[in-house]
Amino acid sequence: MTALRDILLRRIALDGPMSVAEYMTLCLLHPEHGYYTTRDPLGARGDFTTAPEISQMFGEMLGLWVAQVWMDQGAPAPFTLAELGPGRGTLMADALRATRSVPGFHEALRLHLVEASPVLRAAQAAALGGFAPVFHDSPVDLPDQPLFLIANEFFDALPVRQFQRKGLGWAERMVGATDGRLVMGLAPPAPLTALDHRMRDTVEDQIVETCAPARPVIEAIAQRIAAHGGAALIVDYGDWRSRGDTLQALRQHAYDDPLAHPGRADLTAHVDFEALALAAAPLRAAPLTPQGVFLERLGMSARADALAQGLSGARLESHIAAYRRLTHPQEMGQLFKVLGLAPVSAPELPGLA
Ligand code: SAH
């Protein structure tokens, strides 16, 4: 029995069942027992791994993408280089190393990191200390100047509500309790205007998910990019429209029941990229592109070849496996998508045309 499970059960006893979003928020960010509050979840000894932890090539490619877009927009100085949920800071460290020789880029950038976890903030400060990063709880606090922003596996950590279609209404899935155990239940169906557009592409009993906290995040970013220039690159798993129950728990690199280990497993849901693109108006969203296609277009195979020259034996094999993992359609290449956002007047975004 974990401390957090006790807290959840007590709360349900007092207030009744809670939404999946409330459950996710408490599991991930509870100040004392939250998953991200208490640990570094990444790597072999953690619960999951991410593209930048798989190979340095990922951060290098994204860094060169940002530098190219920055040059395409006339190399504004100063500008904000921001990342949402930077994990261990690995992606940004690789991006900054890869862009060292881009004239003026490092001199013009001001590094801003949006991070909720104190544990990961410490790791990011250690990895990126030379660039004096400024930390924020929310992108609402980013400065008013040109903004070039990266987010890898950030939006999947934001809490979703789940609704099951029932006739002309929607029944919300709720986390309740039976015999001292957390169980999933359904609230009575009710009409929901916000899901009117999903009546056309769903059938009875199908589940759709909404992610309310994504909207203010995107709006804060879009407002700065629209006013001052810049671009955002959002990489995550999901699709143009989310469909079905995608709530997922990962613990020690294996799938887990999302209710089994509150605060001790990572919880995510697929990203609904259409909702992000709509919230980003007046920015233009480039066509949603699979990660594998995007990385190939940026020239990652040439970078992989160059790195392979210096390797042999087990290190060469693991390099080849990492390349395959990031790009192959049966690995991360197809499930992960890339959404690029930029002002309508800006040149087309590299790799996303
Ligand atoms: N981008 C990194 C880490 C992905 S894990 C990588 O690719 O390796 C998700 C990251 O988002 C973590 O850094 C986590 O602490 C952060 N995070 C999750 N929810 C957040 C929130 N609501 N606000 C700010 N950061 C959050």
Side-chain angles (χ1 to χ4, degrees):
M1 184 67 65
T2 68
L4 184 57
R5 183 188 278 126
D6 283 342
I7 292 168
L8 293 166
L9 287 171
R10 229 174 298 138
R11 181 138 158 186
I12 291 166
L14 281 172
D15 298 340
M18 62 179 76
S19 71
V20 170
E22 272 176 88
Y23 175 73
M24 273 183 91
T25 305
L26 289 168
C27 287
L28 295 178
L29 298 176
H30 185 280
E32 264 174 84
H33 308 291
Y35 181 74
Y36 282 116
T37 327
T38 53
R39 71 195 73 209
D40 171 357
L42 291 152
R45 286 167 59 224
D47 295 300
F48 61 95
T49 192
T50 56
E53 301 296 333
I54 290 169
S55 166
Q56 68 186 73
M57 293 185 288
F58 188 77
E60 291 171 350
M61 290 297 126
L62 267 54
L64 292 170
W65 183 91
V66 171
Q68 184 64 55
V69 178
W70 175 75
M71 288 188 288
D72 289 346
Q73 293 191 18
F79 73 96
T80 303
L81 177 61
E83 186 175 355
L84 306 181
R88 289 176 170 170
T90 308
L91 191 166
M92 190 54 81
D94 291 335
L96 290 167
R97 193 185 58 252
T99 52
R100 252 182 329 207
S101 55
V102 177
F105 188 69
H106 280 202
E107 292 73 15
L109 74 84
R110 305 288 178 267
L111 187 59
H112 289 261
L113 307 175
V114 176
E115 176 57 64
S117 158
V119 179
L120 291 176
R121 275 191 187 197
Q124 293 154 19
L128 301 165
F131 290 87
V134 181
F135 287 99
H136 303 281
D137 293 329
S138 149
V140 172
D141 304 319
L142 290 172
D144 278 317
Q145 61 186 15
L147 170 62
F148 293 82
L149 177 136
I150 296 174
N152 183 59
E153 290 212 43
F154 171 80
F155 285 94
D156 65 48
L158 298 185
V160 296
R161 290 172 70 182
Q162 297 186 317
F163 299 93
Q164 191 167 16
R165 183 162 165 189
K166 294 284 177 194
L168 292 177
W170 299 90
E172 179 158 15
R173 292 185 89 204
M174 305 291 282
V175 177
T178 311
D179 303 329
R181 282 185 316 118
L182 295 169
V183 291
M184 207 57 100
L186 272 187
L192 202 65
T193 329
L195 288 179
D196 278 351
H197 66 297
R198 301 308 303 267
M199 281 291 170
R200 285 190 295 278
D201 69 342
T202 53
V203 295
E204 186 73 0
D205 287 329
Q206 217 168 17
I207 291 171
V208 300
E209 296 170 338
T210 60
C211 182
R215 173 172 273 278
V217 169
I218 290 287
E219 284 174 352
I221 295 164
Q223 187 216 323
R224 283 164 182 76
I225 294 175
H228 309 287
L233 190 70
I234 296 166
V235 186
D236 225 311
Y237 44 118
D239 231 313
W240 185 245
R241 244 178 210 200
S242 95
R243 205 182 303 263
D245 168 18
T246 74
L247 180 66
Q248 166 183 305
L250 270 181
R251 192 161 178 259
Q252 291 153 10
H253 298 269
Y255 291 111
D256 195 20
D257 176 346
L259 302 183
H261 299 99
R264 292 191 291 151
D266 184 42
L267 291 179
T268 60
H270 282 201
V271 173
D272 183 347
F273 284 99
E274 181 187 41
L276 301 190
L278 288 174
L283 298 187
R284 181 181 51 195
L288 192 65
T289 304
Q291 172 175 302
V293 173
F294 175 70
L295 293 173
E296 293 295 357
R297 284 182 185 159
L298 295 187
M300 196 168 95
S301 61
R303 178 66 181 136
D305 285 344
L307 283 172
Q309 298 305 313
L311 300 172
S312 61
R315 293 188 63 202
L316 178 60
E317 268 168 45
S318 102
H319 170 63
I320 293 169
Y323 171 74
R324 186 188 147 87
R325 199 156 165 210
L326 293 181
T327 55
H328 196 279
Q330 275 159 11
E331 307 245 5
M332 296 170 79
Q334 180 67 34
L335 174 64
F336 280 73
K337 309 289 193 308
V338 182
L339 180 70
L341 302 169
V344 178
S345 59
E348 275 192 357
L349 297 172
L352 299 172

